[in-house]
Every structure is written in C-alpha cells, then in structure tokens.
Amino acid sequence: MVGKGAKGMLQAVEEAGDASVLPGAGRGVNERRRRTLSTPSVHPKMAAAQGPVDASSPEQMSWRMTSHPIHTAVEGVSHSLHPAEPGEAWARGEAIPTPDTTHEAHEDKSENGAMPNEAIKDHSLQRGNWGNQIEFVLTSVGYAVGLGNVWRFPYLCYRNGGGAFLIPYFIMVTFCGIPVFFMELSFGQFASQGCLGVWRISPMFKGVGYGMIVVSTYIGIYYNMVVSIAFYYFFSSLTSVLPWTYCDNPWNTPDCVSVLDNPNITKSVQPPALLGNVSQALNLTLQRTSPSEEYWKFYVLKMSDDIGNFGEVQVHLLSCLFVSWVVVFLCLMQGIRTSGKVVYFTATFPYVVLTILFFRGVTLEGASTGIKYYLTPQWDKILEAKVWGDAASQIFYSLGCAWGGLITMASYNKFHNNCYRDSVVISITNCATSIYAGFVIFSILGFMANHLGEDVSSVAEHGPGLAFVAYPEALTLLPIAPLWSLLFFFMLILMGLGTQFCLLETLVTALVDEVGNEWILQRKSYVTLGIAVAGFLLGIPLTSQAGIYWLLLMDNYAASFSLVIISCIMCVCIMYIYGHQNYFQDVQMMLGFPPPLFFQICWRVISPAIIFLILIFLLIQYETITYNEYQYPSWAEAIGFLMALSSVICIPFYALFYFRITDGDTFLQRLKNSTKPSGDWGPALLEHRTGRYAPTIPPSPEDGLEFQPLDPDKAQIPMVGSNDPIRLQDSQM
C-alpha cells in the first residue's frame, strides 16, 4: 500500500538533500548528490568502450557487495548489493554515515597485479585475497613445480629422443598447456569461487567440480606419503656416514655390492683377472644390488611380496607421515594468509638447492656423458606417436590442470589481476624448471655411470627409483655426502609441500564456499584441521609393508585418464554450453582486454582436440602396471580403474540429479534451464558487476507498485550472502 506518509517521507528526504541511499527509495534521491557518488569499478579501457554513464543509471549507485548482499531482480538474475563504504556498520545493523565517495577521493593503485586507476578497493573482506601478486605467483609455481619435474621429465626426455623430445614438448606447452592454464585461472578469478562454486556458470556440470575434489583427495593422500618418505631420508642424512653407503648393515643381503666396499667393479681399477673372465663379470653385474636399493626395500619399506599382504605398519614412516601433515596444517591454519607467507621460502629455496647441485654435478668426472645422454637429439623418434603422447601427457599433468587447485588459487586474486600474464609466466617457469632439473639429475647419473663403468641407461630410473635409490647412491660417491643428501631431500620436501598446500586448500575452499555461511567462515581453521586429520588416517595403509604397491597404484590410476576427461568437459562446457562470446566478454570485463585471438582459437578448437587425443593415446598405450619385477594382480587393477572412474562418474550422476530437480514443462525446457547460468553467476563484488551483470534501481512509488509502510525507527533489510541463507538485520534509518 502506498500511503501519503510514505510519499511524504520520500519527498522530505529529497528536499533535505540527503546523500544516503535508502533501500527501496529508488529514484527518490537528490539528483545532485547522486552525480557525486562513485561508479562501479570498471577498468579504464572498458570505461572508454562503454561511454559515459547516465547519472540516473544503476552504475552510478554507490553500493558494494559483501557476504550479506541484497538480491535484486535483473532480467531474472539475482544480484548482490549493499551500501557503500561502511560495510562493517551495515553488517552490525548500526547507523550508516554518509560517505564521501567522489572520484577525487580515490587514488590510483596497482596492488596484487590489479589494473591501475581502479576507482575503489578490489577485495573481499570475508573470503580474503592474496596479500600481493607475488604470493599468488609463488604459490602457483610451488603448485605446478612438483616432484614430477625432478623424477619424471628427465627420464621421459632421454627415453624419447633427448633434445628432440623438447620440440613436441614445447609445441604441447604452447597449444595446450598455457591455454588451459589461462582458462582455469580466469575461470576462478572471475567468479571468486573454488572448484565447486564456479559451476554456477552451468549448474548441470557441477559434477566436474566434484570430480576435481575426488582427484585432489586421492592425490593429496599419496602425495603426502611421498613427502613423508623424503622427510625420513632427510632425518637419516643427519649423520657422518649415510646408512645406504655400505653393505655391512643387518638388512643387507649377500648380493649387496657397494662401489666403496668393492672398488674392483669400477672401470678404472678392475683387475686383469676379472676383465678376462667375461662370464664372471656378467654374473656379478646381474647379481649386484646396491646398498641404496636394499636400504629402500628392506629397511625403509620392508616390502612384502604382494599388494594384498599389508604386513605391519612401519612406525618410522607413520611418524614422518604425522610430521608431514602437521607441517601442512600449520602452514594452512589461517588459509592463504599463512600459506601466502610460507611460499616465499618453499617456492624459492628449491631453486637455490637445484643451483647448488647443478654446479656440483657439472664439475664431476663423467657429468658431460650424462648430460649428452640427456640432450643428444634422436631425430628419428620425433616421428613416433608415443613421443608426442608422452609430451602432451607430461605438460598436462605437470601444470596441475583439472585438479581444481588452479581455480582455487585464482579465486583469491583481485578481480582485475592480470591472470593472462601470470599463466604465461608460471607455465614457462614450470617448463624451464623441468629442463633445469634434468641437468642436475643426469650430471650426477653420468658421474655414477662413469664410476661404475656402465652405460648411463643402466643407472637412469624414474619415479621413486630415481629419488630414493639411484640418486642417493650417486650421492655416496661425493665428498661430504651427508651434506648433499640433506640438500637433495630438503629440496624434495619443499617441492612436495608446495603442491600439497594447494591440494589441501582446494578441498577446504570447496567445502567452505559450498556451505558459505558465517559460522563455517569463522571456523575455517577447524575445517582445515578436520581434513588434515582425515588425510592422515587415510594415508596410514600406505605406511604398511604393502604401502609402496598402493602408492604406485594410486599414482597410475587416480590422476590418469580421469583428469583428461574432466579437462575436456570443462573446455566444452565453457566454450559451447555457456558460449565462447559470453566468456570472452567476461574476460574482457575482468582484464580490460579480450583474450588474444590465439587463445580464443586454442580454447575453442585446438586445446580440446589435443586433450581428446591424449585420452585416445592413454587408452591405446595402456599397459598393465608393474613395479620392478612385480606384476599387479587383476583385482588390484580393477581397484585402480574404480578409483579413476569414481571421479569421472560424478559428472553424469550430478547432471542427471540436477536435471531431475530442474523445473520445466518439456525435456528441452528442463535441459535449457539446467544448463543456463544460475542467478548468482558473475563477479562476486558489486562494483565489478557491469554490463549484463549490472543491477537495476528498485522502482519508485511513482511506478504504481505498492510499498509496505516503513517503521520510522528501523527497517528490516534482507541480507543475502553469496552462499548464505537469507537473514534479516535491523538497520537504523
């Protein structure tokens, strides 16, 4: 009911020239005052393209969204509003002072990579942002640069043609790695949500986000187990003589031969009798096991003979697993506020260690042989499909695409952060680190092969065999071996922790954003603790005598073809369901310029095609999993496939569920309603909601709509968060 009292009150506000904007007052606000109110934060390049903004347009309203915004209907879309500047007073229900928000009051800033000349601050008070741009870049580098850069890439490089492998590798980086990396960063940054919340872009595909959560859970469980083993080797290196140097330990077998115990097996000092007896030398070579290998199998792991024979839990590994999870929790206890500071060390110090090991390695005898073996091009292999498949798979997994971590880390960026630049810098850093690590690894392996009188291929390994067997044995040949061992395993620990931080933060952010109320936001540390405890408990079976079998099973299946499927569906959904033009406009709104033409083509055609070819390659080249001479039983492989399918199956299951609960009279109408963006899709803060995301001014009483009479003392104002349930707070008029 529109009463004379309500009209009179509105007219009185106009006559008094009140600068405050009354919720629901609409056009009943002094026009002179409204011209001085700040406009939403629009990038300068976008502002020029949009032209002047009318004083009566919604863009001139000085409103800001917090975790409790007001929803207004705009073409059927809910938008979030709340009055400007004194957000804390608004949340407490106190009187809101009239702010001075003229354009002259704002200063040009370029913080956290945000574009200059932004009119108002670009941050989320409750969810938080990175302290600065360096924190985000270092965290992303620590996430992308992991153990695979050290123990997988160098092996793939020498196995697939040495320097010739770099050609398909860089081609895949250019046409698939960087574009997909840029897409995930821009996706998370635009919506300021984790890997679940971003799927407001097309709710039917939210199962993709759940698939990312499942993948990150699997990887987080076994990845931290690898870090715990590195912790154990690090502690074991705190001695004058490394325990895997000689063969006089209780766990050694008669077949153990140390190059320091038996110098006769080396090329330089072999006696003529041994050289003359070829069969005897061959038998010695075939029977020889290194002390580092026996230390790994019979002491650290105490390996059982079968994956089903769990045996006993190794207390020393369990203790290190506990230490590893405690370190991860302490670094993430306050979310990105603590992890953003820790990465200054964890993401940079590995490069210091790599450089020290590099200069130590290249000065050793035989190092040049190992480096030549690493880089010498074999041009005939460049025509093999397997080489191209390995290159595509390596860059895809190395960058961490489809894990959900990139979306999560980018969601804490400020809206106008130049994530295009970040994606290029981080991707190139990741690739350069892989190549650099190859020099470090093969210089030492070349020295070891020269010392043993063997070919480099006989000592070159990958995976745990390289990190915990081959490289540690090579370190025993160096003077002050414990020092180099400490540096090497400390580097592995930091690389592993950098990735583990993001994996755990991905799970925490997804859960907190999904619940989204103030209660869980205030208890985020407890959520982090709960997930860390669950991860520790789920990792206990990996500390058993069969743990290494399960670790490799999870590594081979949990993050294999499922990641490829998830990434491919993500590209198709954004480019073809949501629409490439819509997404290009979103990126332009955020960055001030549209995606370069090259990335537009890659997103629409090239990258999805390459991802699909990777999937085909993985299926064609599939081989049953083995570990050394052990062949996994068929039931174990079936469990591996179930792990892989458990993440992929989330996509169709959730799609069917959401389709079933969506309104619509016909099948096509329900399908359309379930795939279109939800009402709260778009930038999280109101000042960034421009163009089709811009809210409208509530109608005035003159429009003929009825208004309920307002209490002259208080008004009930509905406040809605991005995920919060509607709640009412009193606000003084």
Side-chain angles (χ1 to χ4, degrees), residues 665-698:
D665 296 331
T666 64
F667 176 85
L668 291 179
Q669 188 176 16
R670 294 177 70 180
L671 182 63
K672 180 180 179 181
N673 292 338
S674 60
T675 55
K676 71 180 182 180
S678 63
D680 50 359
W681 162 250
L685 302 183
L686 175 67
E687 55 260 31
H688 304 138
R689 285 183 173 265
T690 58
R692 65 180 185 276
Y693 297 105
T696 58
I697 300 177

Side-chain angles (χ1 to χ4, degrees), residues 154-165:
Y155 174 81
L156 287 179
C157 192
Y158 97 83
R159 191 185 72 176
N160 289 302
F165 178 74

Side-chain angles (χ1 to χ4, degrees), residues 409-454:
M409 295 303 105
S411 70
Y412 292 103
N413 277 336
K414 296 186 178 179
F415 186 73
H416 292 306
N417 171 62
N418 192 344
C419 59
Y420 165 66
R421 174 200 58 203
D422 295 340
S423 62
V424 176
V425 170
I426 297 169
S427 299
I428 294 177
T429 301
N430 174 74
C431 298
T433 304
S434 298
I435 298 173
Y436 189 37
F439 284 95
V440 175
I441 297 299
F442 273 89
S443 61
I444 297 291
L445 294 182
F447 163 70
M448 180 179 175
N450 178 76
H451 197 81
L452 295 175
E454 299 177 358

